[in-house]
Amino acid sequence: MFKKGLKVALASLVILSLGLAGCGNTSNTQDTSKQAANSGSAKVLKVGTDPTFAPFEFVDEKNNTTGFDVDLMKAIADDMGYTVQYENSAFDGLVTSLQAGNYDAVIAAMTITPERLESVDFSDKYLMAEQFIAVKKGSPIKTTADLKGKKIGVQSGTTGQTVVEGLGISPLKFDAIPDAMNDLLNGGVDAVVADSPVVLYFIKQNPNFNIEYVKGDFTKEYYGIAVKKGNTELKDKFNASLKKLHDSGTYNDIYKKWFNVDAPAIQ
Ligand code: ARG
């Protein structure tokens, strides 16, 4: 598809130069289009996120917002000639705020779901995940079925909440996963259900906490960048840049930086 796009672009260039060669006084037209392409300083893209979700978006010791999503969004914005300005919100408020026009986009390890697609549009999927169950080592919870009758922590408004409710269990809803994990350590909950990369990262970063995970048997989920419903222009730009980042290897570099392995196919 990219090659085809390139061919079309090249073809129009040829047509354009032929056209220019054919006419006399066209230098003005040419100059204007050049100026438009390089015009001024980078434009600002307002992006909403909930930076409590390492390794996707979190605030580091130096108080910088960092993570896989942050690097990916920067690479996309660089490609588009934009700079990114983040606006933080609780995760369960992001979709409404995007709809209200508070941001241009949301990147927040947000799963593309049919429910969300009713309110916002998403870019192409950029990562695959599933729900894992975090428990204390030695916990009697060994399978999804073992969750019945237990106290389960989730982040409010997430797919973790949805899958637990789907089991007929009312989970305890936390503002952020670190709070839920804290309760798991204190014995306030018996398990935390959250995105697999986040559970794995937490365990890796905190080996002394004696947390382990159960894979569960939940369906695969795909992350997308959300835009306001109908903002096809921005969505298309994101998709074009994403495609370029995959083709150039930049996507893989970012993936490797955060997950230490090559990016698997997103399927
Ligand atoms: N993937 C899950 C969802 O879309 C969890 C995302 C939580 N993201 C965050 N930045 N807190 O519901």
Side-chain angles (χ1 to χ4, degrees):
M1 239 176 107
F2 179 65
K3 276 201 184 129
K4 197 171 152 206
L6 198 65
K7 265 188 204 152
V8 173
L10 283 177
S12 19
L13 260 184
V14 171
I15 291 166
L16 188 70
S17 5
L18 284 177
L20 290 178
C23 315
N25 192 13
T26 47
S27 53
N28 277 348
T29 334
Q30 210 182 1
D31 283 346
T32 325
S33 63
K34 247 190 200 161
Q35 269 170 17
N38 307 332
S39 72
S41 54
K43 290 154 282 180
V44 175
L45 201 62
K46 261 204 189 174
V47 178
T49 196
D50 162 36
T52 64
F53 212 58
F56 292 105
E57 43 270 328
F58 60 104
V59 179
D60 68 13
E61 321 78 54
K62 291 180 200 135
N63 222 25
N64 295 318
T65 305
T66 185
F68 175 90
D69 282 353
V70 175
D71 285 348
L72 184 68
M73 196 68 239
K74 177 164 190 330
I76 291 173
D78 280 351
D79 181 59
M80 288 168 46
Y82 279 75
T83 56
V84 181
Q85 184 189 314
Y86 280 102
E87 303 264 331
N88 297 341
S89 155
F91 183 79
D92 60 10
L94 284 169
V95 166
T96 321
S97 287
L98 177 62
Q99 282 182 294
N102 295 349
Y103 343 109
D104 301 305
V106 164
I107 192 160
M110 188 176 273
T111 304
I112 304 167
T113 66
E115 296 74 28
R116 288 175 184 152
L117 278 168
E118 282 174 19
S119 329
V120 292
D121 289 339
F122 281 96
S123 71
D124 291 340
K125 53 195 177 185
Y126 69 83
L127 199 125
M128 194 198 82
E130 59 191 295
Q131 296 300 308
F132 274 8
I133 305 162
V135 293
K136 274 193 188 165
K137 275 189 185 155
S139 160
I141 299 171
K142 303 283 180 217
T143 66
T144 308
D146 296 336
L147 291 176
K148 284 259 146 84
K150 298 285 192 304
K151 279 191 265 170
I152 320 294
V154 297
Q155 184 182 18
S156 183
T158 60
T159 47
Q161 177 183 337
T162 314
V163 301
V164 173
E165 286 173 350
L167 298 169
I169 301 169
S170 284
L172 273 88
K173 292 181 262 172
F174 293 83
D175 287 342
I177 287 300
D179 301 336
M181 289 297 192
N182 220 13
D183 249 42
L184 177 62
L185 294 172
N186 299 335
V189 293
D190 304 308
V192 172
V193 174
D195 294 21
S196 44
V198 171
V199 170
L200 292 174
Y201 191 82
F202 185 87
I203 291 174
K204 205 169 153 210
Q205 295 298 111
N206 304 288
N208 304 332
F209 287 177
N210 289 321
I211 302 282
E212 60 184 1
Y213 70 92
V214 175
K215 257 179 181 257
D217 46 17
F218 303 108
T219 52
K220 284 178 184 169
E221 300 182 14
Y222 300 95
Y223 297 172
I225 306 170
V227 297
K228 202 172 177 180
K229 205 155 196 44
N231 194 349
T232 316
E233 194 187 337
L234 186 56
K235 184 179 88 172
D236 289 350
K237 280 188 187 165
F238 284 163
N239 288 341
S241 295
L242 256 178
K243 172 93 175 66
K244 278 201 228 169
L245 296 177
H246 276 288
D247 290 346
S248 67
T250 305
Y251 176 93
N252 197 56
D253 292 342
I254 297 173
Y255 192 95
K256 244 184 160 161
K257 172 179 167 190
W258 292 101
F259 299 105
N260 301 314
V261 291
D262 282 321
I266 308 170
Q267 57 193 7

